[in-house]
Structure formats: structure tokens, C-alpha cells
Amino acid sequence: MLALLVLAILVGGSLQRVAGMGFGLVAGPFIVLLVGPIEGVLFVNLVGAVMALLVLGRTIRRVNWRRYGWLVSASVAMSVPAALVIRDASASALEIGVGAVVVVAMTLALVTSRLRGAERPFAPEARLPLLVTGAAAGFGSVAAGIGGPPIAVYSVLDRWDPRDFAATAQPIFLTNAVAAMTAKLLFADATFPAFALWEWVTIGVALLASVGLGELLVGRVSASATRKVLVTLAYAGGLATLGRGLLDLL
């Protein structure tokens, strides 16, 4: 199991460094399959926070702190209500939820990406779209460890520069993950996986290695190829998690 966790972290982490997001979408469903829906999502939050912090060190100069402020104000406010919603959910229901969030969010992101040539649906820097996006991202972070797709959809509709988006997404992911962990530990009786110390050390090394791998891939792998890998792995993990949840429920 540890070897598979390390593999998921390496792939998801390197994609996040290259594309600005992807760790939760790609690694999250596989981690839930390996660790379980409650401990797995909390683990995704923890590792995702560390990953975002590592990537932020390389991209902090391009962060749009104003947008960050509006987005996280809504996402943090959503953390406690979301934790209360999932507190009494069964393991199979949580797996179904995680898988469905990944599949629906990825599909929505793909459909939205086709709207780049359409007219902007709202004024630049409008506050309401930022707050709605932040609330959706906050709920996704708590329930499934996945808060990136709503922000990605917003970035497409807003015509956000991809490099600025990738940079600004990191402190958003970091803040959302910390808020999600805090809310679930306090209000949903969630616990971290019971790994041995050497296993945690191995996971930490995998995180650092994934950022290094991403650094090697930046500029060498086309955006199209990165996108295809992200979409394929996200759908595979999401459908596998959704399928197991449905089987357990039946």
C-alpha cells in the first residue's frame, strides 16, 4: 500500500507543479481507495497542504493576493458546515461522493474550457463569482479533498492568465486544506492514518521528489500532454472510487 501511495503522490505532485493543480484530482481518489474515505480525505488534505506550500515557494511572485482573499474568505466559512454534513455519512456514501465529485468536476472543467472564445459572463474582479467559487472549493476540500475544479472553471470564465492562476491556486489550496483538516478534526471526529514514523518519512521524501520531478518536466512537457494525463488519471481514479462505493452500498 505504501508503494502505491508513493506512486500516487509522485504523479499527482509532479502534475501540480507543472499545471498548478491536479494533486487532489489525480492522487485523491486513489488514496481514498487505498486508505479509506475518512482517513484518506484527511490524508489528502494534509499532503495537499504540504504540496501547495512547496510549489508556492517557486511561484509566490505571481500570486494575486486580492483574489486569494475573496476566494478563501468564502471557502473557510464553508469548512465547518461541510464537516457537519459529512460527519454522519457512511463510508460507502463518502466514497460515492468523492468519486462523483471528481467525475462531475472534471467534466464541468472540460466543458467550461470550450468557452474560452465566448464572451466573459461577468465583470473583471466581480466579487460574487469569487465568493461562489470559494464556497464550492471549500466544500469540495472538506468532503473530498478536492477544491481545484471550481477555481479552474472560474479561471477559464474569467480569462485568468494560466501562470498567474497556477501561482494563486497554491495559497488557496494551502488555506483550504488547513481549514478542512481543522474543521474535520474538531467537528467530524476524523483521524489521520496510523502510519509508522518511517512510513511518514517515506511519504515526506515522496513529496519532495514529486516537486523535483515536476521541476524537470516544466517546459519539457507540453500543456496538451499534461492535460491529457491529468484528465485520464482523474477519471480513472474517480470512476474506481465511485464504483467501489456503489458496490459496497449494494
Side-chain angles (χ1 to χ4, degrees), residues 43-60:
F43 179 80
V44 171
N45 288 143
L46 175 63
V47 178
V50 177
M51 177 61 60
L53 182 61
L54 292 173
V55 177
L56 178 61
R58 305 288 297 174
T59 60
I60 193 169

Side-chain angles (χ1 to χ4, degrees), residues 118-237:
E119 184 179 351
R120 183 197 298 268
F122 47 80
E125 303 290 343
R127 294 179 181 179
L128 182 59
L130 286 169
L131 293 174
V132 172
T133 300
F139 189 89
S141 294
V142 174
I146 301 164
I151 303 171
V153 170
Y154 172 87
S155 74
V156 172
L157 295 176
D158 187 67
R159 311 298 186 268
W160 200 347
D161 180 273
R163 292 172 297 177
D164 292 342
F165 160 71
T168 308
Q170 304 316 309
I172 295 171
F173 294 154
L174 174 59
T175 305
N176 284 355
V178 172
M181 285 189 291
T182 302
K184 286 186 286 189
L185 290 170
L186 292 177
F187 299 103
D189 299 323
T191 58
F192 290 105
F195 293 143
L197 177 59
W198 69 269
E199 292 175 310
W200 284 111
V201 171
T202 302
I203 290 167
V205 172
L207 280 169
L208 294 173
S210 70
V211 176
L213 179 59
E215 288 288 340
L216 293 175
L217 295 175
V218 170
R220 299 184 182 184
V221 179
S222 67
S224 175
T226 301
R227 184 169 175 269
K228 289 178 181 178
V229 172
L230 191 154
V231 170
T232 301
L233 292 177
Y235 271 118

